[in-house]
Amino acid sequence: MKKITSILLIMILFASYNINAIAANSNVNVDEKKIYVLNSFTGQQLDEISDIEFTENRIHFSYSGENFSFALHKLNIDTNDGKNISKGKYYTGTYNNMVCNVVEYNDAYCIQVFDKSKSIEGRKLDSENNFTIVAGNSMDEKVNAISSEIDSVNERMESRQRAASGKLHVYVSGITIPFLISGGSAEGWCTATIRENNNYQVSSMKYVIAYNWPSDGISLWYDYMNSNSAYQSPAWPSSALTNVSGTWTINAGAGAFMAEATVSALVKGAPLMWTLYDVSYMNGTHQ
């Protein structure tokens, strides 16, 4: 925790808060640190953050006129499977519907903040509550590559098209990402039967989630564009195959079935987190 604490103290220095007092407690070279706030789906640079406070179990900062505060706890991500790098450090926290995931690696870090109550499409439309913070040594030299990686990942997510009417299937996996720090997977199945008035009856839902973060999971949406949720898997699911009882009536033009998983990997030596997602509409067409 000492490394991530030092880095966030440097963030305070950049905001011109009590520079001398903080520098006396930090071993990090101030001149080599830079902080960027990025759009989590396009990589575009956003407004700066301020009023940063950090302890061993909490992070607080201001962004776009709002205050964000999260109680954090450390995640023990499995590094014995040969898929996740052992030198990474991972933290997560929630507040109401907001989630904050933190990965620290090699004196640099990435923070992913998002509103779990919103679908991927809803998050794309709300960059004030869904954004990514990156910081580290010589970040000016890396931020363009990081921004490009975020944009290209999102383009790949949206380019997939396939259909399987009746039986819906969503699947994402981050365990084969190059330069992987950590990655899990989420997979879900359900049956969508056409009914009257352009509605589908959705039933027989089941899923398997090999999670690293509480954000990984399966969700069903009455209205995907407007984030009206019908079902979401729990934040800390069992790793076994889980069957979900119940049926839902979902409009063909509005509803969707979704899987998502968070992955972190190195880009120009700096850690970056992003969300992998797979969205199936009721007729089996994928986003």
Side-chain angles (χ1 to χ4, degrees):
M1 196 68 182
K2 291 181 179 178
K3 288 184 178 180
I4 194 169
T5 302
S6 297
I7 293 168
L8 284 162
L9 287 174
I10 295 307
M11 294 165 68
I12 301 175
L13 290 175
F14 269 90
S16 299
Y17 283 90
N18 198 3
I19 294 178
N20 294 331
I22 294 170
N25 296 313
S26 175
N27 294 320
V28 182
N29 189 334
V30 177
D31 296 331
E32 294 181 355
K33 296 296 178 184
K34 186 67 176 181
I35 305 156
Y36 287 93
V37 183
L38 305 175
N39 184 297
S40 296
F41 298 96
T42 68
Q44 178 186 0
Q45 294 182 33
L46 303 175
D47 293 338
E48 296 181 355
I49 57 176
S50 61
D51 299 335
I52 304 152
E53 299 174 6
F54 191 81
T55 66
E56 290 186 350
N57 57 10
R58 182 172 294 276
I59 183 172
H60 171 89
F61 57 88
S62 297
Y63 170 69
S64 193
E66 298 291 335
N67 293 322
F68 293 83
S69 185
F70 299 92
L72 298 177
H73 66 272
K74 189 173 183 179
L75 289 179
N76 294 314
I77 291 177
D78 183 10
T79 58
N80 296 319
D81 58 3
K83 299 171 184 175
N84 297 307
I85 295 178
S86 60
K87 294 181 180 179
K89 295 181 180 179
Y90 316 94
Y91 306 87
T92 190
T94 59
Y95 180 74
N96 293 332
N97 294 321
M98 299 298 295
V99 176
C100 176
N101 293 330
V102 182
V103 59
E104 188 261 340
Y105 185 83
N106 195 27
D107 291 329
Y109 72 93
C110 177
I111 298 174
Q112 185 189 49
V113 176
F114 60 93
D115 187 343
K116 178 63 175 176
S117 70
K118 293 191 175 183
S119 66
I120 292 293
E121 197 62 32
R123 295 177 210 173
K124 290 179 181 179
L125 298 173
D126 180 17
S127 61
E128 293 185 354
N129 292 294
N130 302 270
F131 52 89
T132 298
I133 302 168
V134 294
N137 295 330
S138 304
M139 191 56 67
D140 285 336
E141 302 171 5
K142 304 170 184 177
V143 68
N144 288 336
I146 290 172
S147 296
S148 296
E149 182 66 21
I150 292 174
D151 188 42
S152 64
V153 166
N154 188 63
E155 287 184 358
R156 291 196 296 270
M157 290 295 98
E158 293 187 339
S159 66
R160 297 171 300 175
Q161 294 288 335
R162 63 182 186 273
S165 181
K167 300 291 185 180
L168 306 186
H169 176 226
V170 287
Y171 174 66
V172 286
S173 175
I175 61 176
T176 60
I177 300 293
F179 306 106
L180 180 74
I181 299 177
S182 69
S185 63
E187 186 169 17
W189 303 262
C190 65
T191 299
T193 305
I194 189 69
R195 298 300 189 197
E196 67 276 0
N197 298 322
N198 203 34
N199 290 323
Y200 281 80
Q201 178 178 291
V202 177
S203 60
S204 304
M205 185 187 299
K206 56 186 178 180
Y207 59 78
V208 175
I209 302 167
Y211 71 92
N212 283 315
W213 305 92
S215 49
D216 299 352
I218 300 297
S219 55
L220 178 68
W221 302 87
Y222 289 120
D223 187 339
Y224 176 69
M225 294 293 293
N226 293 301
S227 301
N228 184 2
S229 176
Y231 174 84
Q232 290 194 357
S233 58
W236 305 106
S238 165
S239 59
L241 178 67
T242 299
N243 291 280
V244 181
S245 60
T247 60
W248 300 264
T249 300
I250 308 292
N251 182 265
F257 188 40
M258 185 176 84
E260 64 177 300
T262 301
V263 63
S264 57
L266 295 178
V267 178
K268 295 290 185 178
L272 175 66
M273 262 189 287
W274 63 85
T275 300
L276 299 176
Y277 57 92
D278 185 15
V279 179
S280 172
Y281 299 106
M282 293 299 99
N283 65 358
T285 300
H286 285 239
Q287 179 175 322

